[in-house]
């Protein structure tokens, strides 16, 4: 699992980000503390942006 966000302009699909979120939750047993929580929040924000981008592209 990557611990750094992708470079600017290299947007990932919502599905790819969602898979990383699921992997993070599996690795931690669902417990999000400290840096793990921060990583989850970054991934969540990236996922929201990806979903919005995919919706705009589909429209």
């Amino acid at each position: 699992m990557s611990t750094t966000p992708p470079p600017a302009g290299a947007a990932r699909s919502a599905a790819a980000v969602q898979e990383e979120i699921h992997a993070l939750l599996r690795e931690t047993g669902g417990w999000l503390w400290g840096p793990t929580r921060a990583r989850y929040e970054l991934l969540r924000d990236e996922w929201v942006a990806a979903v919005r981008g995919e919706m705009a592209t589909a429209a």
Side-chain angles (χ1 to χ4, degrees):
M1 175 183 74
S2 172
T3 57
T4 58
R12 297 188 290 168
S13 70
V17 178
Q18 184 177 26
E19 179 53 40
E20 189 167 343
I21 291 170
H22 286 225
L24 179 66
L25 291 170
R26 279 190 304 271
E27 290 171 10
T28 63
W31 293 96
L32 301 172
W33 300 91
T36 305
R37 178 67 184 199
R39 179 68 185 142
Y40 166 78
E41 291 172 359
L42 287 172
L43 288 168
R44 179 200 59 208
D45 294 345
E46 182 183 354
W47 178 81
V48 168
V51 168
R52 287 183 180 153
E54 290 172 9
M55 290 176 66
T57 302

